[in-house]
Amino acid sequence: MHSPFFFGVEFTLVVELRLLAIYLVWTMFWDFLWFILNPYYGWEKFTPKAVWWVGEEPWLLNKLPVKYFVQIGISIFLIVLAI
């Protein structure tokens, strides 16, 4: 995520906050899509019981880990902070 700095983008706090926000959203989608697109899991098996290593954390409506929403919230906060 920090590769833009190697290609001439000047390091500033605003750019850093934006990159961190993008990273948080990107890792959340990466994690989610890994389960959904994986033939072994899919949407039906994406549950706290089947995904036991994430299942210990709270889930919303038994379908999405709360940490996804926390990551989105932190990302929005970082973007607002960067404005």
Side-chain angles (χ1 to χ4, degrees):
M1 285 297 167
H2 284 88
S3 62
F5 297 128
F6 295 107
F7 294 102
V9 174
E10 183 180 344
F11 180 85
T12 63
L13 183 58
V14 170
V15 174
E16 178 67 18
L17 291 174
R18 288 179 184 169
L19 287 175
L20 289 174
I22 291 168
Y23 176 76
L24 286 173
V25 171
W26 184 75
T27 56
M28 183 217 42
F29 276 115
W30 181 10
D31 185 63
F32 176 71
L33 289 176
W34 186 90
F35 286 107
I36 299 305
L37 299 176
N38 186 330
Y40 178 77
Y41 287 98
W43 179 251
E44 292 77 27
K45 285 190 178 180
F46 188 58
T47 63
K49 286 186 179 183
V51 187
W52 55 268
W53 57 94
V54 181
E56 297 174 356
E57 301 172 10
W59 284 55
L60 184 65
L61 301 174
N62 212 29
K63 265 322 216 182
L64 291 171
V66 172
K67 74 175 187 173
Y68 288 173
F69 299 99
V70 171
Q71 283 182 257
I72 290 172
I74 292 171
S75 295
I76 291 170
F77 174 75
L78 290 173
I79 292 294
V80 169
L81 195 63
I83 294 176

